[in-house]
């Protein structure tokens, strides 16, 4: 009885089936390697972004701290050499930079809460005047950036 080539594979089809199995294994391995490469790229990009964020955070934390420490040190060491206006200016610098640092740390904590899901963003409509009004306190002191 004759079953045909596809109905009953005989010895003559073993090399073909082996070749197909090898090709399937190569395709699966190639797919796994592509996934591994994508994951490695993603991890490298994540690390690059983490490093950039830490660098930025470090700079943003150190800048107001340096101003505060400089003003306090000046007042401690040379208070008698400064007139009243200069002393008040140094105290104002300390207060402004401490407030700046407090805002920055508050923003970092809010970001952490957002990322952890503990704080959910309000996705509803908001009055533009309210948004601008909440963004403006301290604005002249923070503009231009880096000033």
């Amino acid at each position: 009885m004759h079953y045909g080539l596809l109905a009953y594979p005989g010895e003559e089809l073993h090399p073909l089936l082996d070749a197909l199995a090898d090709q399937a294994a190569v395709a699966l391995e190639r797919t796994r390697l592509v996934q591994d490469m994508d994951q490695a790229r993603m991890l490298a990009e994540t690390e690059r972004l983490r490093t950039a964020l830490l660098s930025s955070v470090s700079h943003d934390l150190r800048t107001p701290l340096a101003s505060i420490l400089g003003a306090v040190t000046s007042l401690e060491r040379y208070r008698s050499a400064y007139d009243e206006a200069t002393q008040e200016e140094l105290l104002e610098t300390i207060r402004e930079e401490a407030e700046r640092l407090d805002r920055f740390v508050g923003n970092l904590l809010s970001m952490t809460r957002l990322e952890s899901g503990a704080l959910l963003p309000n996705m509803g409509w908001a009055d533009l005047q309210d948004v601008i009004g909440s963004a403006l306190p301290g604005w002249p002191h923070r503009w231009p950036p880096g000033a």
Side-chain angles (χ1 to χ4, degrees):
M1 182 182 276
H2 186 335
Y3 293 100
L5 289 178
L6 297 177
Y8 181 73
E11 291 292 321
E12 67 276 359
L13 290 180
H14 281 279
L16 178 62
L17 292 175
D18 286 343
L20 286 173
D22 288 344
Q23 289 296 317
V26 167
L28 289 173
E29 180 66 14
R30 189 174 292 159
T31 301
R32 187 188 63 75
L33 289 173
V34 167
Q35 289 172 342
D36 289 350
M37 286 175 42
D38 287 344
Q39 185 177 9
R41 268 189 233 126
M42 185 177 66
L43 288 173
E45 180 66 12
T46 300
E47 182 62 24
R48 187 188 68 75
L49 290 173
R50 185 184 72 77
T51 300
L53 178 64
L54 286 176
S55 175
S56 175
V57 166
S58 174
H59 177 268
D60 288 345
L61 287 172
R62 288 181 180 190
T63 300
L65 281 175
S67 297
I68 292 167
L69 289 171
V72 166
T73 301
S74 293
L75 283 172
E76 286 176 341
R77 293 183 183 169
Y78 309 110
R79 181 183 291 262
S80 61
Y82 294 131
D83 61 12
E84 185 71 24
T86 303
Q87 290 179 25
E88 288 299 320
E89 187 178 321
L90 287 169
L91 289 171
E92 179 69 15
T93 297
I94 293 168
R95 187 188 58 74
E96 287 174 356
E97 293 300 313
E99 289 173 353
R100 179 177 165 197
L101 188 59
D102 182 57
R103 281 190 308 272
F104 187 73
V105 170
N107 289 342
L108 283 174
L109 293 174
S110 293
M111 281 178 31
T112 302
R113 288 193 301 266
L114 277 171
E115 288 177 356
S116 71
L119 182 65
L120 298 175
N122 181 356
M123 302 302 280
W125 291 97
D127 183 4
L128 188 56
Q129 287 181 327
D130 291 343
V131 172
I132 292 172
S134 67
L136 284 181
W139 173 71
H141 302 291
R142 295 186 309 213
W143 190 260

